[in-house]
Amino acid sequence: MSTEPTLTDLSAAVLARGGELRAGGTDTTARHRAGITPGPFTDLDGAEALRGCTPLPGGGLRIGALTTLAALAADPRVRSGWPALAVSAGTAATPQIRAAGTLGGNLLQRNRCWYYRNPHFSCLQKGGDGCPARAGDHHFGVVSGDGPCVAPHPSTLAMALLTYDAEADIDGEPPRTVAELYGDGDRLHQSDHLLAPGRILTAVLLPPALPGERAACHRATSRAHAEWPLVEAAARLALDGATVTHAAVAAGGVARVPLRLPEVEAALIGREATPEVLAEAAATVLARCRPLPQTGYKATLFRDTVLEALEQALG
């Protein structure tokens, strides 16, 4: 009879063998096939304690790190209480990837820069000395931030979780905010997260639901289906009549980390949600844009994507 591995066993295995932990395998398999991640891999698949959603005292929700994106998008508790997360999980990638990809894997995946993903190029992400994308083709690169790597962070779910001030539960450590998994981006030039080797992200902890919240996520892509977003945004709003009483807005695809946008939130709270106010709030993101030579188009796309998310949330 097989015995379910403990988290201690799994952590010890990856520290002893090297390589990586593997969840759904959608990212690790692609990197392995490309020849940039040799392994070995320690599979988390048997750790059933990392699956599913569990209510927390006070009205929050614990979501196991091995919960698939498809299960997350379909869960009625998530859909009713934390709709921005449900929508982001349901629109990410393709149905096949959502069926296999996991919450933890989405948060800890590696970036999609084609120089990083090509085994014939050296780069900071692979221990090299420079970023070939900065001097090469960086059409899909960052538009905000000054770090040495110019690859945007790819996690859609991290972006949505920022709007909930969610926490990451890590085996052997106190919980930290999801934002603290990434820091400010300046340190993310040799990885795409700050989780220490051998540590296991076990769950995400959501705060109590906000009654009556209106939420939306919008992705701007270069084709209609199965495409990584050029820019994406998540918006959560609560209103008293026409006045915005709560706003939480975040964006992805624009920086080395998913970004919470406090300037947009401040421009909304306490004001009537008129088209003019929404447009003014969305335009505040332009102040944080420092485009690379090929990413100037992302500045206006950033603004317009945030505006679209705000309008959809109120629609």
Side-chain angles (χ1 to χ4, degrees), residues 11 14-15 21 44 65 104-105 107-110 153 168-183 187-188 190-203:
S11 179
V14 74
L15 287 173
L21 292 162
L44 292 167
L107 297 182
L108 302 178
Q109 66 184 297
R110 301 305 304 269
H153 200 278
D169 195 22
I170 299 165
D171 184 49
E173 295 183 6
R176 67 177 79 169
T177 65
V178 168
E180 288 172 333
L181 281 176
Y182 311 111
R187 295 171 57 193
L188 294 189
Q190 291 185 328
S191 184
D192 293 284
H193 59 79
L194 299 177
L195 193 66
R199 292 297 189 188
I200 300 175
L201 174 66
T202 60

Side-chain angles (χ1 to χ4, degrees), residues 179-260:
E180 288 172 333
L181 281 176
Y182 311 111
D184 61 9
D186 288 342
R187 295 171 57 193
L188 294 189
H189 55 275
Q190 291 185 328
S191 184
D192 293 284
H193 59 79
L194 299 177
L195 193 66
R199 292 297 189 188
I200 300 175
L201 174 66
T202 60
V204 165
L205 310 177
L206 289 167
L210 178 66
E213 79 166 57
R214 307 180 184 195
C217 297
H218 182 69
R219 318 177 94 212
T221 61
S222 58
R223 62 183 181 183
H225 301 290
E227 182 65 288
W228 295 96
L230 300 170
V231 179
E232 57 185 340
R236 299 175 53 232
L237 302 173
L239 280 75
D240 181 2
T243 301
V244 178
T245 58
H246 177 86
V249 186
V254 294
R256 277 297 295 142
V257 296
L259 293 178
R260 183 77 178 260

